[in-house]
């Protein structure tokens, strides 16, 4: 019975770890897709500025240096686009292999059972990040209700049962029986009830059994000590999980503020560019800075959602 329950608990723990792995792969893919969106936006701006600069060069209003700078940035973005495309494809394959989703890398070889990998859409979550305080629960209560805590208790119970079994082998064994017979003869009827009992006292193996009991008792005490220590470690793990959540939230808020500052700066440069007060290179530089801050915000948001999923999985496991 203890073995069956332990197997069930181990299965639940393995399932939770698998879900955390799937969630991490999912957010890795989401992060790369969001970066691809920001890169496409930056590339579109560079191409627009390149066209404007080319027209200005033909009219004698720009120099070759501006064109070369824009060409450099365009090539750099195209190189990043190729690397990002490769990363997205690898992240998709990793995620789909983990969840058992079949796919085809070649569009011509795709079928209904194995669709083309780019035709499989990964939807973004609709919810916005919320303050960690929204999801807070007492870490000590969560740790006490987790499957790992119950497994530690089962380990102690199993040791105590093994000790009882060893003691039972050394105890006297009593057998009790009864028999009833009935006989009928001519003109006579007789009945007989017989009861018997036997006792077996195992004296020869008592020293060996005593040694075994001592060893098993030491193992029980060791299991109890390990249970108390690992429970404290488990509680520490739960506390760290929530601490990671708060740290990721703070990083996300900082990244969000930095993105807002970079976007405001880009907007000012855009207005100045349209008014002819700054050149294309200044506007392109502001867009590069904005893209860098957007990428940092995307990474911070993904890290927060991954930490939130780990925390929610612990809460869910404790409630079950």
């Amino acid at each position: 019975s203890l073995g069956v329950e332990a197997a069930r608990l181990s299965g639940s723990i393995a399932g939770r770890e698998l879900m955390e792995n799937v969630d991490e792969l999912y957010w890795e893919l989401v992060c790369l897709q969001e970066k691809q969106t920001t890169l496409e936006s930056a590339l579109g701006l560079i191409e627009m500025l390149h066209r404007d600069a080319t027209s200005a060069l033909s009219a004698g209003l720009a120099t070759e240096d501006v064109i070369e700078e824009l060409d450099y940035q365009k090539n750099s973005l195209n190189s990043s686009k190729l690397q990002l495309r490769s990363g997205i494809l690898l992240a998709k394959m990793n995620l789909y292999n983990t969840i058992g989703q079949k796919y085809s890398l070649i569009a011509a070889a795709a079928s209904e059972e194995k669709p083309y990998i780019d035709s499989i859409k990964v939807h973004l979550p609709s919810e916005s990040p919320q303050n960690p305080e929204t999801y807070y629960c007492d870490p000590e209560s969560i740790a006490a209700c987790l499957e790992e805590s119950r497994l530690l208790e089962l380990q102690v119970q199993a040791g105590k049962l093994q000790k009882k079994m060893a003691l039972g082998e050394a105890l006297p064994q009593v057998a009790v029986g009864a028999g009833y017979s009935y006989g009928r003869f001519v003109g006579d009827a007789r009945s007989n009830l017989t009861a018997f009992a036997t006792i077996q006292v195992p004296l020869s193996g008592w020293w060996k059994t005593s040694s075994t009991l001592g060893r098993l008792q030491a193992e029980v005490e060791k299991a109890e000590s390990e249970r108390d220590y690992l429970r404290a470690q488990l509680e520490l793990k739960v506390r760290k999980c929530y601490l990671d959540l708060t740290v990721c939230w703070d990083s996300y808020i900082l990244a969000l503020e930095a993105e807002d500052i970079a976007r405001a700066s880009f907007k000012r440069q855009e207005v100045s560019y349209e008014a002819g007060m700054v050149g294309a290179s200044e506007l392109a530089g502001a867009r590069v800075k904005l893209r860098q801050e957007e990428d940092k915000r995307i990474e911070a948001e993904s890290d927060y959602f991954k930490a939130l999923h780990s925390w929610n999985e612990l809460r869910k496991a404790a409630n079950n």
Side-chain angles (χ1 to χ4, degrees):
S1 177
L2 291 181
V4 170
E5 185 177 0
R8 180 186 62 80
L9 294 172
S10 299
S12 299
I13 294 173
R16 193 174 74 229
E17 293 174 349
L18 177 61
M19 288 300 299
E20 290 180 357
N21 183 34
V22 170
D23 187 74
E24 184 173 352
L25 295 176
Y26 165 79
W27 278 108
E28 179 183 353
L29 177 56
V30 167
C31 184
L32 292 175
Q33 289 183 159
E34 288 293 284
K35 287 185 177 182
Q36 185 181 45
T37 301
T38 62
L39 189 147
E40 292 287 353
S41 176
L43 189 59
L45 175 64
I46 295 298
E47 291 176 348
M48 185 271 290
L49 293 177
H50 193 278
R51 290 193 298 268
D52 292 348
T54 302
S55 300
L57 180 64
S58 301
L61 301 176
T63 63
E64 290 286 349
D65 293 340
V66 176
I67 301 295
E68 291 178 356
E69 175 65 22
L70 292 175
D71 284 338
Y72 172 78
Q73 293 194 21
K74 183 178 180 180
N75 290 336
S76 178
L77 289 175
N78 282 326
S79 176
S80 298
K81 183 178 179 179
L82 291 176
Q83 295 178 1
L84 195 56
R85 165 62 183 165
S86 177
I88 289 175
L89 184 61
L90 182 61
K92 281 186 174 181
M93 290 189 293
N94 200 1
L95 175 61
Y96 297 160
N97 288 340
T98 302
I99 65 176
Q101 171 65 52
K102 296 182 179 180
Y103 59 86
S104 173
L105 295 175
I106 303 175
S111 62
E112 185 176 354
E113 292 78 16
K114 297 178 63 176
Y116 181 49
I117 189 168
D118 284 342
S119 66
I120 306 174
K121 303 300 181 182
V122 177
H123 298 284
L124 301 180
S126 57
E127 69 273 11
S128 300
Q130 301 293 326
N131 193 297
E133 295 179 358
T134 308
Y135 312 99
Y136 179 79
C137 288
D138 181 38
E140 185 175 352
S141 300
I142 293 178
C145 297
L146 289 177
E147 292 96 341
E148 290 90 338
S149 182
R150 176 58 182 162
L151 275 176
L152 294 174
E153 186 63 37
L154 289 182
Q155 183 176 354
V156 175
Q157 292 183 18
K160 291 181 178 179
L161 286 177
Q162 288 178 343
K163 180 183 176 183
K164 288 184 178 181
M165 292 169 62
L167 179 60
E169 293 178 356
L171 293 177
Q173 300 178 9
V174 180
V176 178
Y180 178 81
S181 61
Y182 174 81
R184 182 175 180 83
F185 298 94
V186 179
D188 186 17
R190 298 179 182 179
S191 60
N192 184 29
L193 176 62
T194 304
F196 61 89
T198 61
I199 300 178
Q200 182 180 357
V201 181
L203 297 177
S204 59
W206 177 251
W207 179 87
K208 179 180 178 182
T209 302
S210 178
S211 177
T212 302
L213 289 175
R215 177 179 58 82
L216 292 176
Q217 178 60 32
E219 292 181 359
V220 170
E221 294 174 356
K222 179 182 177 182
E224 290 175 341
S225 178
E226 289 181 349
R227 177 197 60 192
D228 297 338
Y229 171 75
L230 293 177
R231 273 183 175 175
Q233 293 298 107
L234 184 60
E235 183 178 340
L236 179 62
K237 176 184 176 182
V238 176
R239 292 185 183 278
K240 181 180 180 301
C241 185
Y242 185 77
L243 179 61
D244 292 342
L245 183 63
T246 58
V247 170
C248 289
W249 172 258
D250 293 338
S251 299
Y252 167 72
I253 294 299
L254 291 175
L256 197 61
E257 293 175 354
E259 182 187 13
D260 291 339
I261 294 173
R263 179 169 285 103
S265 176
F266 171 73
K267 291 295 182 182
R268 290 193 298 269
Q269 294 289 348
E270 192 175 33
V271 172
S272 298
Y273 173 78
E274 293 175 354
M277 299 174 62
V278 298
S281 58
E282 288 82 357
L283 181 59
R287 186 63 185 89
V288 169
K289 179 63 176 177
L290 175 58
R291 175 176 173 264
Q292 292 174 347
E293 297 302 330
E294 286 175 336
D295 287 346
K296 292 179 181 178
R297 190 267 306 166
I298 291 170
E299 292 175 357
E301 185 176 357
S302 299
D303 290 341
Y304 177 74
F305 274 113
K306 285 189 289 186
L308 179 60
H309 177 83
S310 298
W311 176 250
N312 285 335
E313 283 296 307
L314 290 177
R315 294 170 58 204
K316 187 189 302 181
N319 290 333
N320 291 338

